[in-house]
């Protein structure tokens, strides 16, 4: 299965914002987690992301790239905003599709799996004429994972455990929809092993580490953590539920000269 994974917005387009959060950051974090689970735990999955950093990419560039690559599915990750009072989760397919379409069947499955775990009010399955739903040559799906300007939803978005659950919900839906097979030696422990490629007090130094790893073909992102009241910028370069896969990826990261380690 070829998945085009599209974290919305980016660069000079932050998307929605609220309570110190920007949509572009939240959705990129969730997308990385989706990618890491799929590539670490499932067979025969190829993923291309519209962006792997805080960069600009037009809607046309995103859909053109997905179409040229021949993706089997287009998954666009977003957060919502309205008036500070609206809350909950909803997802979209294009409004031209019939009740018998395969895209709707996929939406049914993803919606069920995501709403099982995301702790958000279920606003239902919807249709819209969004560019990424209209201009894609393959089935496409856009999820709106809470309202960033709602205090309850925003408090969840600040939690790494919540973002991991949301990612797992998306993955569970994709696995069901496309009958994905798990890799061998899956421990089934439910643990998540993260490859950490450095912790810094300077955001600039952490960003430099992300850029360096990117130049070596390794996707990474900066995660803010507080340890004993001190903010650290921790570079995460992968997350897996399988320990063996994590250790294999750790060796790849270390081969770049970076002193990396695993946390659970």
């Amino acid at each position: 299965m070829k998945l085009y994974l599209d974290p919305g917005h980016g660069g000079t387009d932050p998307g929605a914002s609220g309570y110190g959060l920007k949509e572009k950051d939240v959705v990129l974090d969730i997308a990385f987690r989706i990618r890491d689970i799929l590539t670490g735990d499932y067979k025969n999955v190829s993923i291309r992301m519209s962006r792997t950093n805080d960069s600009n990419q037009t809607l046309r560039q995103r859909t053109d790239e997905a179409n040229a690559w021949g993706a089997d599915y287009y998954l666009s990750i977003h957060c919502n905003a309205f008036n500070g009072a609206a809350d909950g989760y909803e997802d979209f397919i294009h409004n031209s599709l019939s009740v018998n379409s395969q895209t709707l069947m996929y939406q049914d499955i993803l919606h069920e799996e995501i709403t099982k775990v995301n702790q958000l009010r279920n606003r239902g399955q919807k249709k819209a004429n969004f560019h990424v739903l209209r201009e894609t040559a393959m089935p496409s799906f856009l999820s709106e994972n809470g309202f960033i300007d709602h205090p309850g939803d925003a408090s969840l978005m600040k939690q790494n455990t919540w973002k991991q659950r949301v990612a797992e919900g998306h993955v569970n839906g994709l696995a069901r929809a496309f009958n994905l097979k798990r890799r061998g030696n899956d421990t089934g422990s439910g643990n998540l092993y993260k490859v950490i490629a450095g912790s810094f007090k300077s955001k600039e130094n952490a960003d430099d580490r992300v850029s360096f790893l990117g130049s070596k073909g390794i996707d990474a992102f900066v995660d803010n953590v507080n340890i004993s009241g001190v903010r650290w910028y921790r570079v995460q370069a992968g997350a897996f539920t399988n320990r063996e896969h994590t250790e294999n990826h750790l060796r790849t990261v270390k081969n770049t000269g970076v002193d990396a380690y695993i946390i659970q």
Side-chain angles (χ1 to χ4, degrees):
M1 192 266 282
K2 296 172 69 174
L3 174 68
Y4 192 86
L5 182 55
D6 177 23
H9 309 284
T12 57
D13 173 17
S17 61
Y19 295 93
L21 297 168
K22 295 178 181 178
E23 180 182 2
K24 65 177 182 178
D25 299 326
V26 175
V27 299
L28 183 60
D29 190 335
I30 293 171
F32 275 135
R33 295 169 188 270
I34 292 171
R35 182 205 60 187
D36 289 346
I37 298 169
L38 282 172
T39 56
D41 294 347
Y42 290 89
K43 300 177 180 178
N44 302 320
V45 179
S46 297
I47 297 175
R48 182 168 294 185
M49 294 180 65
S50 61
R51 63 184 182 93
T52 57
N53 52 35
D54 187 20
S55 59
N56 290 301
Q57 183 90 320
T58 68
L59 295 177
R60 172 61 62 186
Q61 287 172 323
R62 296 172 200 236
T63 54
D64 283 354
E65 184 176 65
N67 291 337
W69 185 47
D72 296 310
Y73 199 60
Y74 191 107
L75 176 58
S76 190
I77 308 297
H78 286 261
C79 299
N80 227 326
F82 183 58
N83 60 3
D87 69 308
Y89 169 85
E90 59 195 16
D91 48 53
F92 294 84
I93 59 173
H94 193 253
N95 56 16
S96 67
L97 295 166
S98 74
V99 295
N100 297 317
S101 69
Q102 187 175 48
T103 301
L104 179 58
M105 180 191 73
Y106 290 153
Q107 184 188 28
D108 289 344
I109 294 170
L110 267 79
H111 184 89
E112 179 182 351
E113 293 296 334
I114 294 167
T115 56
K116 280 181 184 177
V117 298
N118 67 3
Q119 301 174 269
L120 297 171
R121 185 169 71 87
N122 187 352
R123 298 171 61 90
Q125 298 174 226
K126 300 184 178 182
K127 295 181 178 181
N129 190 31
F130 299 145
H131 176 97
V132 298
L133 303 178
R134 182 182 66 248
E135 301 299 328
T136 42
M138 70 293 301
S140 52
F141 175 93
L142 185 147
S143 62
E144 291 278 8
N145 297 278
F147 282 73
I148 202 168
D149 59 349
H150 182 271
D153 288 6
S155 68
L156 290 172
M157 292 179 196
K158 293 180 180 180
Q159 301 173 20
N160 288 330
T161 53
W162 179 82
K163 287 178 283 191
Q164 186 65 25
R165 282 194 294 271
V166 169
E168 289 170 352
H170 284 73
V171 170
N172 292 342
L174 291 168
R176 273 185 58 197
F178 289 91
N179 195 27
L180 301 180
K181 304 301 182 185
R182 283 191 172 272
R183 295 183 183 275
N185 302 319
D186 188 0
T187 63
S189 65
N191 294 324
L192 184 70
Y193 303 100
K194 301 177 182 179
V195 176
I196 304 302
S199 295
F200 305 87
K201 289 186 177 180
S202 163
K203 177 69 159 50
E204 183 179 356
N205 290 342
D207 288 338
D208 287 345
R209 177 61 54 84
V210 170
S211 296
F212 171 76
L213 290 171
S215 72
K216 303 296 184 181
I218 298 171
D219 291 329
F221 66 95
V222 177
D223 187 20
N224 298 342
V225 296
N226 284 299
I227 302 174
S228 300
V230 178
R231 171 173 286 186
W232 289 84
Y233 298 96
R234 190 165 64 189
V235 177
Q236 183 173 320
F240 308 87
T241 57
N242 182 286
R243 179 76 189 198
E244 181 180 351
H245 299 154
T246 313
E247 290 173 351
N248 290 338
H249 190 64
L250 176 66
R251 285 192 288 272
T252 299
V253 174
K254 284 187 170 182
N255 285 340
T256 68
V258 168
D259 185 14
Y261 57 95
I262 295 171
I263 65 170
Q264 190 176 332

